[in-house]
């Protein structure tokens, strides 16, 4: 019996080479897409949480500018489960890049600490007491396109010091380094204690750092406040893990939600494509089934033969598809890992590979089993004479509609025959429908990504051309040297504070206090208006949602422990602190907090924005690096561009799979309609009309899928992106509709249908009448 299976398999493949080649191609591409989708779905699953667990991340991260601070009260505290131990760090020795300096934290770490130990993504760890090596933060290395073996230069007490990068590591206790965070938080690197001593020999310039894990992580914010009370005026910062998680998850939220949606729809589309392709292949072989029954095969044996045949093809194709997936996946998955600032997943891990092979085999098995079992039970004479043909005595409603529209006869015949196999047509349209949804996802991701990438007000909070942070430089120096510069034509002043809403101490609010000509600048206000009178405020959607308020309501918040009552006059959206933002005037701050406003940040409008780069270098030199100067850029964020490219690339792969499925479906249809084509040619149909007959059916399926796909997809994308907006605190009106992008789907998919059915159409057009009429 086993040898019979092989002989039948070889005979089928030999007689239907193209059909089996297409089936193998569809299964191969499907397996490849399945593997990529599963790997991406795994990568986007709570990346920060996975990194936090893998690094044994701290619930509270304490930094003191006193190197000899006695942390014994913390080490002996019963609320503390474990700590990193006291580590030394440098915060005032920047990384030198040409004529610019980038802030960086250098941690002295000869060995991995128990808490907050970095997770190596590439390379190796430091050699103890080697002063010439550094392990760089993974996200910072990607941002500056640095790799293992490159050197970085650190400004030390006695000049510059070169360090060789021997490893790249991921951490969860600090922000990922990107376009947004680089100007507000330093990068991170790890050196040996010996290197730290060489770079800065004076311990008075060292910082002491302690990572703390608590028995009750929910008490982290209260414990952070306790740290300030325990060490008054001796701490530089106390960072709560929830604060880091919320802000570090912004990019992963956007990437994860889009890639998760794509992966789920892609998996469903691939399943339908496999089911349709294999099921159609079985139905087209009903005459073969009849012949097998005629020579004595029982229904169970017939089913077993076709199951063996297609599982063999499925296993071979799945193995090849997995191999191709392992070739393609690294560039896509690694790019996603860079966006999420997590370690690169092991794409060669057995579980996803085995799962893909099993998914393909199970889907092929189910798609084979039902039609093969039905074929095994069909009357032998019917199977040999007419196969699975369903005779329709009356013209379909599609044919009637085509006739009423006076469409050419070839098109009318093609439309009529589209649903001659209703299940196959429905499955084909369903897979195309999901393909349209994936294309809608790609267009929606591109539209939203383009909006974010080109909206500098959203990413920077202001339309200002430059931002200057004076740090410890007197305000008078900024006013004399910068605000009076001939290139500065307007400005407003700003100071940032942290606050909270009563009853919501777990979520810190970024409170921004403004003074000056801020009404002359643009802010990303989605609802209401800009503040103009004392007592008014702008708030982010996340704040309003948290306190259950809306524009026009009075809201109480606390700023540095002082209660402030504010009237919400507008809702603002920007990329900071997940939109937990409050903006008020300096007059409001001074009246209700009772302290004088001290400007720390100056937002500048330039006469010529193109001069911002040269002004930045000039001012950094003038103030010897004591101030921070950033240029508000309009360059698209690299992470957003990568997200867009990822989804578009995967959508293109699925389009190829869908095209192969259309071609396979068309070939099956031609195989079943050979006699019909012979009759049509006998009564005068030209080869061109036969080709149009074939192509029109595929185009119709695409149009039906497009109609339902765009109608449903538009609502799906509106709902989905509104959920993304709510998740990142931007609000439900985050979505941007690009009708131009969606309109391109029609010609692209119609072209896909035409190209995919061109070869089957040519085969049908070249059929000889005599051969077609005697075809069995």
């Amino acid at each position: 019996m086993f040898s019979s299976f092989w002989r039948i398999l070889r005979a089928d493949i030999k007689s239907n080479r193209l059909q089996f080649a297409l089936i193998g191609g569809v299964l191969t591409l499907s397996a490849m897409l399945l593997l990529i989708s599963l790997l991406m779905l795994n990568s986007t699953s709570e990346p920060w949480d996975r990194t936090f667990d893998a690094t044994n991340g701290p619930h509270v991260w304490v930094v003191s500018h006193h190197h000899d601070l006695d942390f014994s009260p913390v080490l002996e505290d019963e609320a503390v489960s474990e700590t990193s131990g006291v580590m030394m760090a440098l915060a005032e020795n920047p990384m030198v890049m040409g004529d610019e300096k980038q802030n960086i934290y250098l941690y002295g770490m000869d060995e991995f600490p128990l808490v907050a130990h970095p997770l190596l993504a590439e390379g190796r760890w430091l050699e103890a007491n080697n002063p010439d090596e550094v392990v760089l933060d993974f996200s910072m290395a990607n941002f500056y396109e640095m790799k293992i073996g490159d050197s970085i230069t650190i400004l030390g007490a006695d000049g510059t010091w070169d360090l060789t990068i021997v490893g790249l590591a991921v951490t969860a206790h600090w922000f990922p380094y990107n376009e947004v965070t680089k100007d507000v938080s330093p990068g991170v690197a790890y050196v040996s204690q010996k290197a730290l001593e060489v770079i800065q020999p004076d311990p008075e310039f060292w910082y002491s750092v302690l990572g703390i894990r608590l028995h009750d992580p929910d008490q982290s914010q209260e414990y952070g406040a306790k740290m300030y009370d325990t060490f008054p005026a001796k701490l530089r910062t106390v960072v709560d893990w929830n604060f880091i998680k919320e802000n570090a998850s912004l990019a992963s939220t956007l990437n994860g939600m889009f890639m998760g949606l794509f992966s789920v729809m892609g998996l469903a589309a691939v399943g339908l494509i496999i089911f349709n392709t294999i099921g159609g292949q079985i139905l087209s072989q009903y005459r073969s089934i009849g012949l097998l029954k005629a020579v004595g095969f029982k229904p169970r044996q017939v089913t077993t033969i076709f199951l063996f045949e297609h599982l063999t093809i499925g296993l071979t194709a799945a193995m090849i598809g997995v191999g191709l997936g392992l070739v393609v996946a690294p560039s896509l998955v690694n790019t996603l890992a860079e966006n999420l600032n997590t370690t690169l997943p092991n794409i060669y891990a057995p579980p996803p590979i085995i799962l893909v092979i099993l998914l393909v085999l199970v889907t092929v098995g189910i798609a084979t089993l039902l039609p093969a079992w039905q074929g095994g039970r069909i009357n032998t004479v019917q199977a040999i004479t007419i196969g699975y043909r369903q005779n329709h005595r009356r013209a379909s409603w599609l044919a009637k509609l085509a006739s009423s529209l006076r469409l050419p006869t070839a098109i009318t015949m093609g439309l009529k025959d589209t649903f001659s196999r209703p299940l196959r047509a429905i499955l084909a349209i369903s897979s195309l429908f999901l393909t349209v949804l994936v294309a809608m996802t790609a267009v929606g991701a591109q539209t939203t990504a383009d909006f974010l990438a080109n909206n500098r007000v959203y990413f920077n909070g202001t339309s200002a051309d430059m931002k200057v942070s004076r740090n410890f430089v007197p305000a008078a120096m900024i006013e004399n040297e910068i605000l009076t510069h001939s290139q500065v034509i307007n400005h407003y002043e700003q100071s940032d504070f942290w606050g909270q809403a009563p009853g919501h101490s777990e979520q810190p609010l970024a409170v921004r206090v403004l003074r000056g000509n801020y009404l002359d600048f643009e802010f990303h206000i989605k609802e209401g208006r800009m503040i103009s009178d004392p007592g008014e405020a702008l708030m982010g959607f996340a704040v309003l949602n948290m306190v259950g308020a809306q524009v026009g309501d009075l809201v109480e918040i606390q700023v540095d422990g002082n209660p402030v009552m504010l009237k919400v006059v507008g809702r603002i959206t920007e990329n900071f602190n997940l939109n937990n933002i409050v903006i008020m005037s300096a007059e409001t701050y001074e009246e209700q907090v009772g302290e004088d406003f001290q400007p720390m940040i100056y937002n500048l409008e330039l006469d010529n924005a193109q001069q911002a780069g040269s002004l930045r270098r000039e001012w950094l030199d003038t103030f010897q690096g004591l101030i921070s100067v950033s240029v508000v850029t309009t360059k698209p964020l690299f992470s957003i561009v990568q997200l867009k490219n990822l989804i578009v690339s995967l959508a293109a792969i699925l389009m190829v799979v869908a095209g192969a499925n259309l071609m396979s479906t068309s070939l099956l249809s031609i195989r079943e309609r050979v006699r019909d084509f012979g009759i049509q040619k006998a009564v005068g149909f030209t080869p061109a009309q036969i080709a149009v007959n074939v192509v029109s059916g595929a185009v119709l399926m695409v149009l039906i899928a497009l109609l339902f796909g765009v109608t449903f997809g538009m609502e799906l994308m509106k709902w989905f992106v509104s959920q993304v907006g709510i998740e990142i605190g931007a609000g439900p009106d985050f979505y941007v509709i690009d009708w131009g992008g969606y309109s391109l789907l029609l010609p692209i998919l119609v072209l896909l249908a035409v190209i995919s059915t061109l070869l089957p159409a040519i085969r049908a057009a070249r059929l000889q009448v005599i051969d077609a009429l005697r075809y069995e």
Side-chain angles (χ1 to χ4, degrees):
M1 179 64 71
F2 189 75
S3 61
S4 299
F5 289 171
W6 278 112
R7 285 198 298 271
I8 293 171
L9 174 60
R10 288 198 301 271
D12 281 345
I13 293 177
K14 185 176 180 180
S15 60
N16 299 286
R17 291 187 181 91
L18 180 59
Q19 187 63 53
F20 276 95
L22 275 174
I23 289 175
V26 169
L27 292 176
T28 298
L29 290 173
S30 298
M32 180 180 72
L33 191 59
L34 279 170
L35 181 63
I36 293 172
S37 296
L38 286 174
L39 289 173
M40 289 196 165
L41 202 59
N42 180 60
S43 296
T44 58
S45 176
E46 299 181 337
W48 188 89
D49 298 89
R50 289 187 285 111
T51 303
F52 188 82
D53 292 339
T55 60
N56 200 31
H59 298 124
V60 178
W61 185 255
V62 182
V63 179
S64 171
H65 49 285
H66 295 273
H67 74 282
D68 55 354
L69 184 63
D70 182 9
F71 278 108
S72 57
V74 178
L75 303 178
E76 299 168 1
D77 196 326
E78 294 181 354
V80 175
S81 62
E82 52 188 347
T83 73
S84 62
V86 181
M87 298 178 288
M88 296 295 108
L90 296 176
E92 310 297 338
N93 297 85
M95 182 171 66
V96 181
M97 303 186 70
D99 57 354
E100 296 189 10
K101 302 177 183 66
Q102 305 297 337
N103 292 333
I104 190 170
Y105 270 127
L106 298 174
Y107 295 103
M109 196 177 292
D110 289 332
E111 298 178 352
F112 287 130
L114 183 62
V115 172
H117 57 79
L119 186 63
L120 273 175
E122 296 180 33
R124 61 171 176 82
W125 193 247
L126 305 162
E127 293 179 355
N129 295 322
N130 189 332
D132 300 319
E133 295 182 346
V134 63
V135 171
L136 196 60
D137 176 72
F138 181 67
S139 61
M140 190 176 193
N142 283 322
F143 183 81
Y144 290 114
E145 298 181 351
M146 296 178 178
K147 58 184 184 299
I148 305 295
D150 290 348
S151 295
I152 67 171
T153 301
I154 301 297
L155 182 61
D158 300 321
T160 58
W161 190 262
D162 292 331
L163 300 170
T164 301
I165 301 174
V166 297
L168 305 179
V170 174
T171 185
H173 69 268
W174 204 246
F175 300 103
Y177 197 88
N178 54 45
E179 296 95 329
V180 177
T181 61
K182 70 183 183 67
D183 291 320
V184 295
S185 64
V188 171
Y190 309 92
V191 298
S192 66
Q193 182 64 31
K194 180 67 175 178
L196 187 144
E197 294 170 359
V198 170
I199 295 170
Q200 180 51 262
D202 188 352
E204 293 300 320
F205 290 92
W206 297 356
Y207 284 64
S208 55
V209 181
L210 182 67
I212 304 169
R213 286 186 66 88
L214 303 173
H215 291 294
D216 185 1
D218 293 336
Q219 297 297 313
S220 58
Q221 190 165 22
E222 289 77 3
Y223 197 85
K226 179 182 177 181
M227 289 293 94
Y228 283 113
D229 294 335
T230 305
F231 305 102
K234 293 184 179 181
L235 300 183
R236 176 75 175 266
T237 56
V238 177
V239 183
D240 174 68
W241 71 302
N242 288 305
F243 176 63
I244 296 292
K245 177 180 180 179
E246 289 294 323
N247 285 277
S249 298
L250 176 61
S252 64
T253 298
L254 193 62
N255 283 272
M257 292 185 73
F258 267 111
M259 291 309 304
L261 177 68
F262 174 88
S263 299
V264 170
M265 290 194 301
L267 291 172
V270 166
L272 284 174
I273 287 171
I274 294 175
F275 195 88
N276 184 44
T277 302
I278 298 297
Q281 170 71 0
I282 297 296
L283 295 179
S284 71
Q285 292 181 283
Y286 263 38
R287 287 191 176 87
S288 299
I289 292 174
L291 292 174
L292 288 172
K293 293 187 68 177
V295 298
F297 279 78
K298 297 179 180 180
R300 180 176 298 177
Q301 292 174 314
V302 170
T303 303
T304 303
I305 287 174
F306 283 98
L307 194 60
F308 170 79
E309 181 178 279
H310 289 94
L311 285 178
T312 302
I313 296 172
L315 179 60
T316 304
M319 300 282 287
I320 298 173
V322 165
L324 291 175
L326 293 177
V327 173
V328 175
S331 60
L332 299 175
V333 177
N334 293 356
T335 297
L336 190 60
E338 291 175 13
N339 280 348
L340 304 182
N341 192 41
T342 188
T343 53
L344 305 180
N346 179 15
I347 64 170
Y348 303 105
I353 295 174
I354 294 173
L355 180 59
V356 166
I357 295 174
L358 289 178
L359 282 173
V360 171
L361 292 180
V362 168
T363 306
V364 168
I366 294 174
T368 303
L369 196 60
L370 182 59
W373 178 251
Q374 288 177 340
R377 294 172 61 87
I378 198 172
N379 181 274
T380 304
V381 176
Q382 177 188 351
I384 294 175
T385 55
I386 64 174
Y388 189 67
R389 183 184 303 275
Q390 294 179 348
N391 293 320
H392 299 281
R393 296 184 179 277
R394 294 183 300 174
S396 68
W397 66 271
L398 281 171
K400 291 179 179 178
L401 177 61
S403 297
S404 65
L405 294 174
R406 299 191 177 186
L407 296 177
T409 304
I411 295 179
T412 301
M413 295 292 290
L415 300 184
K416 177 184 74 68
D417 292 334
T418 299
F419 285 94
S420 61
R421 300 288 184 267
L423 179 60
R424 184 190 302 168
I426 291 172
L427 286 175
I429 291 172
S430 298
S431 63
L432 286 169
F433 168 75
L434 286 171
T435 302
V436 171
L437 289 185
V438 170
M440 294 279 289
T441 304
V443 174
Q446 180 164 352
T447 303
T448 305
D450 286 342
F451 164 75
L452 294 177
N454 298 312
N455 193 327
R456 69 173 189 172
V457 176
Y458 172 79
F459 271 108
N460 297 281
T462 177
S463 61
D465 298 314
M466 299 184 72
K467 290 185 177 182
V468 176
S469 299
R470 68 180 180 89
N471 299 331
F472 301 104
V473 171
M477 289 183 64
I478 302 294
E479 295 170 1
N480 295 332
E481 296 290 339
I482 294 180
L483 300 186
T484 59
H485 196 284
S486 60
Q487 280 288 325
V488 178
I489 60 175
N490 206 352
H491 77 280
Y492 69 91
E493 301 162 356
Q494 170 184 324
S495 278
D496 295 338
F497 303 89
W498 291 107
Q500 62 186 42
H504 298 279
S505 60
E506 75 285 352
Q507 177 58 59
L509 306 180
V511 181
R512 198 167 295 149
V513 180
L514 311 182
R515 185 177 70 183
N517 300 327
Y518 52 82
L519 292 175
D520 297 338
F521 290 75
E522 181 184 352
F523 295 81
H524 203 255
I525 300 173
K526 297 288 290 185
E527 183 183 356
R529 60 173 175 82
M530 186 59 180
I531 56 175
S532 58
D533 298 320
E536 296 180 344
L538 296 175
M539 293 188 181
F541 173 83
V543 182
L544 297 176
N545 188 50
M546 179 172 61
V547 300
Q550 56 186 355
V551 174
D553 290 349
L554 287 174
V555 174
E556 180 184 346
I557 67 167
Q558 292 184 341
V559 181
D560 285 350
N562 300 290
V564 178
M565 185 64 68
L566 302 169
K567 180 181 180 181
V568 183
V569 297
R571 175 166 64 88
I572 193 168
T573 299
E574 65 174 78
N575 179 45
F576 184 70
N577 197 35
L578 292 176
N579 277 279
N580 289 284
I581 300 166
V582 177
I583 296 179
M584 69 177 75
S585 67
E587 292 80 5
T588 302
Y589 175 80
E590 291 177 339
E591 286 180 7
Q592 298 200 39
V593 176
E595 296 183 6
D596 292 335
F597 172 79
Q598 298 294 330
M600 294 300 298
I601 299 173
Y602 298 83
N603 298 273
L604 313 179
E605 180 186 358
L606 303 180
D607 181 50
N608 182 4
Q610 301 299 320
Q611 297 296 318
S614 59
L615 286 175
R616 180 178 186 270
R617 290 188 293 271
E618 175 187 331
W619 291 337
L620 287 175
D621 290 340
T622 300
F623 289 89
Q624 298 181 344
L626 296 177
I627 64 172
S628 300
V629 184
S630 61
V631 176
V632 177
T633 179
T634 57
K635 181 181 178 181
L637 288 179
F638 185 60
S639 59
I640 297 296
V641 173
Q642 282 184 325
L643 168 64
K644 178 177 66 176
N645 292 341
L646 275 173
I647 294 179
V648 171
S649 300
L650 292 175
I653 294 174
L654 186 58
M655 287 281 191
V656 173
V657 179
N661 179 52
L662 268 179
M663 183 180 291
S664 176
T665 301
S666 298
L667 282 172
L668 290 173
S669 177
I670 290 172
R671 186 175 172 183
E672 295 167 349
R673 295 161 57 196
V674 169
R675 283 176 175 269
D676 294 341
F677 291 137
I679 294 171
Q680 290 170 10
K681 296 191 78 171
V683 298
F685 272 59
T686 66
Q689 288 176 312
I690 296 294
V692 170
N693 186 331
V694 174
V695 172
S696 60
V699 172
L700 175 64
M701 288 191 291
V702 164
L703 291 177
I704 293 173
L706 191 63
L707 174 64
F708 287 100
V710 171
T711 302
F712 179 76
M714 185 65 70
E715 296 303 317
L716 173 66
M717 287 306 299
K718 285 181 179 178
W719 172 84
F720 174 72
V721 183
S722 70
Q723 297 305 305
V724 174
I726 292 172
E727 190 72 19
I728 65 175
D733 48 1
F734 190 59
Y735 188 63
V736 179
I737 297 176
D738 180 13
W739 292 107
Y742 291 131
S743 65
L744 292 176
L745 291 178
L746 175 61
I748 289 175
L749 289 172
V750 169
L751 183 63
L752 176 70
V754 172
I755 293 175
S756 300
T757 54
L758 195 58
L759 178 60
I762 293 173
R763 286 171 63 95
R766 290 178 175 175
L767 285 172
Q768 298 299 315
V769 175
I770 294 177
D771 295 334
L773 292 177
R774 69 186 183 189
Y775 175 78
E776 291 292 345

